[in-house]
Amino acid sequence: MTPARPVPDALVYDRVSLRHDGAAADAVGPVSLALREGERVLLLGPSGAGKSTLLLAATGLFPRSIPGACTGGIVLRGHPVTSRTPAEWADTCGFLFQDAAQTLAGFTVRDEISFGPENRCIAAARIPDLVAEAMRQAGIPQIWADRRISTLSGGERQSVALAALLAQGAPITLADEPAASLAPKAARRMADLLLAPGRTTMVVEHRPGPILDHIDRCVALGRDGRVLAEGAPHEVMARDGAALAEAGIALPLATRIHLDLPDLIDPRLPLRDALLRVPPAQARRLHDAVLPAPIPAGEILTTLDGADCAPAFGPVVLRDVSLTLRAGEVVAILGPNGAGKSTLAACLAGLLPPRAGRRTGAPGAVAFQNPEAHFSQESVRAEIAGLCHAPGRVAQIFDRWTLGEVAHQHPFTLSQGQKRRLSLALLAEADRWPVLILDEPTAGLDRAAETVLGRRIRALAREGRALAVITHDMDFALSVADRAVLVHRGAVQFDGPCPALMRDAARLSLAGLEPPEAAPVLNWLAATC
Amino acid sequence: MLRGFHPLPKLALCLAWIVASLIVFRLSFQVGLFVAATLLLLLDARVPPRRVLLLMVPFALFGFGFLTTSVLFRAESGFALQMAREQGAAPDVAPGLVLFFRVLACGMVSAVFALTTDPGQFVRALMQHLRLPAPLGFALMQSMHLVPDLRAEMLQLRMARAIRLGRPLRRVPAPGEAFALAIPLLAYAIRRATRAALSFEARGLQPGRARTHLPQPPIRRRDWVLLGVGGGVLALVLAVLPPGFA
Amino acid sequence: MPDHSVWTLRETLIVAVLGAVFGVLYLGWVQVWLVLQAIFGALTMDVVMGFWFIVSIIAAAIIRKPGVALVSEVMAAAVQVLLGSPAGLLLLLTGLVQGAGAEAVFAATRWKRYSVGVLMAAGMGAAVFSFAYTWIRFDYGSLAPGLLVAMFVLRLASGALLGGLLGHYIVKALYRTGVLSGLAIDRDARAAGA
Ligand SMILES: Nc1ncnc2c1ncn2[C@@H]1O[C@H](COP(=O)(O)OP(=O)(O)OP(=O)(O)O)[C@@H](O)[C@H]1O
Ligand SMILES: Nc1ncnc2c1ncn2[C@@H]1O[C@H](COP(=O)(O)OP(=O)(O)OP(=O)(O)O)[C@@H](O)[C@H]1O
Ligand SMILES: [Mg+2]
Ligand SMILES: [Mg+2]
């Protein structure tokens, strides 16, 4: 066993099993793991493995406020978690919940950020400076102090949640997919803050690639809710990559390409160097590994003509937008947080009429950024039944989106990834919409589900539908979209082939985006072919 | 200008005028108060005229009940007559008309307070000066933020419903649709309360636990001046138009 | 076993939010009543009265703790006063009386039973209290006994149906939406099911 340490571990789970009220089986466990002081741990696991539940148990929010049962012992800084209330632990341990709207309470930005320090009894005179500093660090303009949370975009909310956490100033941070709806630059800022060397942080992420360098140790949970692999991040990826992929956990793209094409790409080399050794004759295989098969585009289904788009009850955020969507086309809509992508989605689908200009074409459907917006029934099964498909098709839907195990559950009790899958299934399996817009469909999805989604998007396009996909994941955009639209500074800045935009690092960087992990492959392909 | 005043004297003043409006059963007083509050909203709070009109719609609709009974059905609402008698009104005008303008007047005065006061500042003032317990204060703050958000949530629910049912979204909800949204809206309110409670707990709010406040502007001389002037005007008006107690 | 009398943070927030939402709905109901009254005459008030008791019944059936019925009804009344209810300031007293009527019935069950019957009884309790209150306020003693009985019966029925029964259905519909999980109503339902 480990020798006695002068400082106790920050957070220790000792054979912990957690079960939600009314659930037939444990959500997670038995799990034993420790977070040491000054250590940054990445918690990986397929959707539904119980990561969020595990984090919630760290200060006793589960089972004290979220009903359930907990066996095993949890020790925070040497004290059993049950020795204090969750509110008392707030001085020790701060949360970023998976849903930013859950971290916040729906007040104004200033009230949200000052709430934590006030509760910690920080001297009143110091609080304004704390608030201003937290806003500066999180990249929130100071003039937003009086804005209400409900008037912010999804990513802007996530930044405010980060500022609130920083101001709270707890030494231990538990962050559940903190960057899921952040554009790449904002996500990097978040990682630099949360995962600065010396911070004590446990972070859950489905896309480990961008943060791997900020991590000291990596723990992966398997589908059975037990620890599957543990160790230094690059070691785990190299050693247990296959097992992780099997469990549906996303790997960094380079690792994935290495796994897919072991004869082409030497797994011991960085991607850029490994590419130098690929014979040009093999370009086709490499091309197919990162780019989708082309689909002939059909007639125009929807047009925006000089449209001014505004969010509901908000000001115009996009001016003079002219766009078309064709049958058989998949368009990626990209842009920094708050650029107006979700607003554009509602306009394109005809849900919000443009303030000026015209929209023509058949009405479309949007899979909203917040999956809960689509739920109206008492169970997952009833939601799917609402699609009115034959029994065979229903079984196929459950199978495809792996919702079978939770069919009896209430949609609001699902894990975030399960919620996302359900909301996507409700839209992508309804046959009535010629135009379909998916707003950040990969947020919260594990690798397995992302693959299913990508295939489904291509299949729908081949059926002759027009699809638009809003995403911050450049690699996903590259793998499903033929065309890309970049919105930034209130206008469309680029509308053209997706790979062309992805190779334009300067343009991406101007809009707060970054090239995909597959950029070296794109460059290689361009140079070779 | 009103925005810069301390919330508590402002609240006291608004409450005083609302109480006056409730006990002075006279058309002139109600119309005067309504016009004054609307002007304050337009000129001082700089609320766009369109928004002020929209704000009036629910109050007007509701006050309209008194008018419909007296105009449409050519009968004064029994309740309005009762109110008039009880409050010793001179029966020179239709009591329904007075009640109609009273609803508008009170509604606009409340709107003046709500639109010129930051809920955070208001709740903190209550906690600081009137010793309101923090959980109650933040529960109040949640209600104050919830009511305006209901509108956006309603639209979101309608969009999702339109997508589910495969119909284009109508501009104005049909009565049946509005009815079908009642339970989801209530559920939203409760869900939001639940999530807020979890967020409060995770960030350290606990009944009885000591906490500090973001520093708030103190009650200054000009706040007393506002209180004095507003109260003085009210006293003057009341001297000319005494409350109509029987 | 959770403490039976102290409200948790979540329960406090729910009472506040319900009070605010129903305060607004109650104002809308005044409109319905006025139109109906113009058509059907004076007794209408007793017929529609029950709806104004509903928040105390819904909140109590969800949270099942002392004081919930009373506070939620007063909260709704306060919201109405701020928005300019025609009944004026006295509405606060009205809310207090109606809330106390419902609370009294729940107190009689020691805040333990919330079946349809009890909810309807709570609506009737609020009706009885409010009848006594309007009796004093509007001097009902001078009315014909036959009319009084009719008014009383109508108001009781309204309290039971528009307050208790409708409240029960709304609570059931809310329960199905899953938002009540972890609250007293959910714990009791699970205990009964287990
Ligand atoms: N209130 C509840 N009642 C019953 N089951 C629940 C409840 N909440 C969550 N679950 C189930 O517990 C399991 C673990 O959920 P959890 O949210 O911890 O997963 P997760 O690992 O965070 O997944 P994701 O990556 O999708 O967020 C899921 O299968 C979920 O359906
Ligand atoms: N009701 C509103 N009132 C005022 N401004 C609003 C309102 N709703 C949204 N906005 C603003 O409009 C802009 C566009 O919002 P939108 O949700 O379309 O952004 P987005 O591109 O989808 O961002 P994200 O990637 O973060 O989801 C944001 O800057 C947001 O702050
Ligand atoms: Mg999760
Ligand atoms: Mg968005």
Side-chain angles (χ1 to χ4, degrees):
Chain A
M1 290 304 292
T2 44
R5 235 185 298 271
V7 224
D9 282 343
L11 170 62
V12 179
Y13 292 93
D14 183 19
R15 282 161 292 165
V16 171
S17 299
L18 306 168
R19 177 179 300 209
H20 288 277
D21 245 11
D26 288 347
V28 60
V31 167
S32 296
L33 68 96
L35 173 69
R36 300 189 194 103
E37 288 292 341
E39 193 187 33
R40 302 157 300 171
V41 168
L42 169 64
L43 186 61
L44 292 168
S47 171
K51 306 178 293 297
S52 304
T53 316
L54 205 57
L55 293 197
L56 279 167
T59 65
L61 283 169
F62 181 98
R64 267 178 106 124
S65 303
I66 295 170
C70 168
T71 59
I74 301 176
V75 179
L76 254 172
R77 291 205 149 176
H79 302 279
V81 66
T82 45
S83 65
R84 293 186 202 160
T85 62
E88 285 161 351
W89 281 121
D91 302 358
T92 310
C93 185
F95 280 100
L96 277 181
F97 293 114
Q98 196 161 13
D99 182 357
Q102 172 61 80
T103 313
L104 307 171
F107 302 154
T108 61
V109 171
R110 182 190 293 112
D111 290 337
E112 291 287 358
I113 301 178
S114 57
F115 188 76
E118 287 179 334
N119 289 331
R120 290 192 65 180
C121 255
I122 306 274
R126 277 188 52 214
I127 298 180
D129 292 339
L130 262 179
V131 172
E133 174 62 12
M135 287 174 75
R136 197 190 54 71
Q137 285 188 320
I140 303 165
Q142 300 288 336
I143 47 166
W144 285 11
D146 288 315
R147 282 187 71 176
R148 284 147 39 79
I149 298 298
S150 55
T151 65
L152 298 179
S153 80
E156 289 166 347
R157 282 176 209 197
Q158 222 156 19
S159 298
V160 175
L162 172 67
L165 176 99
L166 292 175
Q168 189 180 330
I172 305 174
T173 303
L174 303 179
D176 202 349
E177 294 191 47
S181 45
L182 290 182
K185 281 254 172 71
R188 187 168 292 269
R189 178 195 281 270
M190 162 95 66
D192 288 342
L193 284 170
L194 281 186
L195 301 169
R199 276 191 71 107
T200 311
T201 306
M202 179 135 75
V203 60
V204 174
E205 262 303 339
H206 277 304
R207 260 196 314 149
I211 58 165
L212 223 48
D213 294 330
H214 293 72
I215 294 294
D216 299 314
R217 198 156 52 91
C218 189
V219 179
L221 295 182
R223 284 193 202 286
D224 55 357
R226 293 168 192 240
V227 175
L228 178 74
E230 187 174 353
H234 291 285
E235 211 173 280
V236 168
M237 292 299 157
R239 186 186 61 211
D240 304 307
L244 298 189
E246 174 74 19
I249 298 171
L251 304 173
L253 184 92
T255 318
R256 221 158 64 216
I257 297 184
H258 289 286
L259 279 179
D260 286 349
L261 308 167
D263 58 316
L264 276 194
I265 306 266
D266 186 341
R268 286 159 310 191
L269 294 178
L271 186 55
R272 212 176 290 272
D273 301 336
L275 281 168
L276 295 176
R277 304 188 177 180
V278 179
Q282 297 288 344
R284 190 79 240 158
R285 284 177 63 202
L286 209 49
H287 178 275
D288 292 347
V290 294
L291 293 173
I295 300 168
E299 55 178 332
I300 293 179
L301 292 183
T302 297
T303 314
L304 276 184
D305 191 10
D308 283 0
C309 306
F313 313 113
V316 170
V317 295
L318 286 177
R319 287 201 187 276
D320 197 19
V321 177
S322 295
L323 267 188
T324 55
L325 288 186
R326 287 172 180 278
E329 197 177 37
V330 181
V331 179
I333 299 180
L334 309 169
N337 294 118
K341 302 180 296 298
S342 301
T343 310
L344 179 61
C347 267
L348 262 178
L351 291 171
L352 288 178
R355 296 274 165 92
R358 261 158 45 89
R359 175 195 181 276
T360 43
V366 180
F368 292 115
Q369 196 164 357
N370 173 12
E372 293 177 355
H374 291 283
F375 302 156
S376 63
Q377 303 292 323
E378 293 158 42
S379 70
V380 174
R381 179 167 290 118
E383 294 278 6
I384 301 280
L387 292 171
C388 302
H389 288 311
R393 176 86 191 273
V394 168
Q396 185 197 9
I397 294 173
F398 274 115
D399 199 42
R400 176 181 290 156
W401 300 94
T402 41
L403 289 168
E405 275 173 37
V406 294
H408 62 280
Q409 258 173 252
H410 196 289
F412 277 92
T413 66
L414 297 178
S415 83
Q416 195 65 20
Q418 291 163 341
K419 279 181 189 164
R420 179 71 63 190
R421 261 149 38 211
L422 176 57
S423 72
L424 289 172
L426 290 177
L427 270 278
E429 303 289 348
D431 294 331
R432 56 170 87 92
W433 299 106
V435 176
L436 203 56
I437 299 159
L438 310 179
D439 198 349
E440 302 198 16
T442 58
L445 290 190
D446 58 15
R447 176 65 198 166
E450 199 181 298
T451 313
V452 168
L453 172 67
R455 278 202 208 109
R456 185 72 194 148
I457 289 175
R458 295 307 291 181
L460 286 171
R462 264 191 304 274
E463 282 171 21
R465 312 234 217 144
L467 286 106
V469 180
I470 297 172
T471 181
H472 292 302
D473 184 339
M474 300 300 133
D475 286 286
F476 182 73
L478 191 63
S479 69
V480 299
D482 317 292
R483 202 176 114 205
V485 169
L486 178 66
V487 282
H488 182 39
R489 293 184 195 282
V492 172
Q493 308 280 358
F494 175 93
D495 185 352
C498 189
L501 178 63
M502 292 304 164
R503 295 187 51 224
D504 191 345
R507 195 194 286 272
L508 289 175
S509 170
L510 266 183
L513 308 180
E514 285 178 1
E517 287 182 75
V521 181
L522 287 183
N523 289 332
W524 183 88
L525 284 172
T528 315
C529 305
Chain B
M1 183 187 81
L2 272 177
R3 250 182 254 280
F5 286 96
H6 194 277
L8 291 186
K10 199 163 48 178
L11 177 70
L13 207 55
C14 288
L15 284 182
W17 280 91
I18 287 180
V19 169
S21 161
L22 294 175
I23 58 179
V24 180
F25 205 87
R26 280 172 208 274
L27 188 60
S28 48
F29 182 85
Q30 308 295 354
V31 173
L33 183 56
F34 164 62
V35 171
T38 309
L39 284 180
L40 273 182
L41 272 180
L42 288 173
L43 303 180
D44 185 87
R46 303 220 169 263
V47 182
R50 207 175 133 236
R51 177 120 187 266
V52 174
L53 276 179
L54 271 179
L55 263 178
M56 271 182 216
V57 168
F59 300 121
L61 263 184
F62 155 57
F64 205 59
F66 299 105
L67 285 186
T68 42
T69 46
S70 47
V71 177
L72 239 55
F73 301 100
R74 287 166 198 281
E76 193 58 67
S77 142
F79 177 77
L81 276 174
Q82 173 76 44
M83 282 286 128
R85 222 179 307 125
E86 198 181 318
Q87 297 174 12
D92 53 347
V93 285
L97 206 61
V98 181
L99 286 179
F100 172 70
F101 276 103
R102 180 158 100 187
V103 175
L104 279 177
C106 287
M108 288 298 117
V109 173
S110 297
V112 166
F113 180 76
L115 294 183
T116 61
T117 310
D118 170 46
Q121 211 178 347
F122 172 54
V123 166
R124 290 201 180 86
L126 287 178
M127 294 193 289
Q128 222 165 349
H129 295 284
L130 304 182
R131 306 196 161 273
L132 182 74
L136 295 187
F138 285 102
L140 184 67
M141 191 143 124
Q142 185 58 248
S143 308
M144 289 171 80
H145 279 290
L146 170 80
V147 173
D149 285 351
L150 280 177
R151 191 172 61 150
E153 179 62 22
M154 172 108 160
L155 182 67
Q156 174 83 57
L157 283 170
R158 291 184 56 220
M159 286 192 201
R161 201 175 129 89
I163 290 174
R164 201 161 51 240
L165 300 179
R167 301 190 192 132
L169 189 67
R170 300 167 49 135
R171 284 224 165 183
V172 185
E177 188 185 359
F179 197 73
L181 292 178
I183 294 290
L185 271 179
L186 265 183
Y188 163 75
I190 296 181
R191 184 168 291 125
R192 184 157 155 162
T194 302
R195 311 187 76 175
L198 192 72
S199 129
F200 288 172
E201 252 189 306
R203 291 189 285 167
L205 182 74
Q206 179 165 314
R209 208 170 168 225
R211 75 195 292 285
T212 49
H213 304 283
L214 189 70
Q216 301 298 312
I219 304 187
R220 279 169 299 187
R221 243 203 26 227
R222 59 193 211 134
D223 294 309
W224 293 115
V225 172
L226 173 81
L227 197 57
V229 170
V233 173
L234 179 60
L236 258 177
V237 171
L238 288 185
V240 181
L241 302 168
F245 281 126
Chain C
M1 169 98 208
D3 190 321
H4 197 72
S5 59
V6 180
W7 297 8
T8 65
L9 206 51
R10 179 181 179 198
E11 289 162 347
T12 312
L13 275 157
I14 291 179
V15 170
V17 162
L18 282 180
V21 172
F22 274 95
V24 176
L25 285 184
Y26 281 5
L27 269 190
W29 189 246
V30 173
Q31 159 92 11
V32 175
W33 160 52
L34 289 169
V35 172
L36 290 181
Q37 169 133 320
I39 304 171
F40 298 109
L43 279 181
T44 321
M45 174 161 106
D46 298 289
V47 176
V48 299
M49 189 70 131
F51 188 73
W52 283 304
F53 312 151
I54 205 167
V55 70
S56 55
I57 286 162
I58 292 177
I62 291 174
I63 293 174
R64 311 196 164 184
K65 284 188 179 173
V68 171
L70 186 68
V71 173
S72 57
E73 190 75 37
V74 173
M75 169 96 189
V79 171
Q80 289 183 80
V81 171
L82 287 182
L83 295 181
S85 160
L89 276 183
L90 276 176
L91 194 67
L92 281 179
L93 190 60
T94 317
L96 197 69
V97 169
Q98 295 174 351
E103 189 76 50
V105 172
F106 294 124
T109 73
R110 297 180 160 236
W111 295 281
K112 288 223 162 67
R113 297 190 42 222
Y114 293 86
S115 59
V116 203
V118 175
L119 295 191
M120 288 171 72
M124 280 151 65
V128 171
F129 272 51
S130 90
F131 196 77
Y133 168 75
T134 39
W135 184 302
I136 299 165
R137 187 165 158 211
F138 298 122
D139 192 17
Y140 279 2
S142 58
L143 297 179
L147 182 64
L148 266 182
V149 171
M151 282 165 74
F152 185 63
V153 170
L154 281 177
R155 193 173 302 187
L156 268 187
S158 167
L161 297 177
L162 274 182
L165 197 62
L166 183 62
H168 170 74
Y169 283 120
I170 291 181
V171 169
K172 260 176 64 176
L174 279 176
Y175 188 71
R176 277 197 300 271
T177 66
V179 291
L180 305 183
S181 76
L183 291 166
I185 180 174
D186 186 41
R187 284 200 296 272
D188 290 358
R190 281 177 202 277

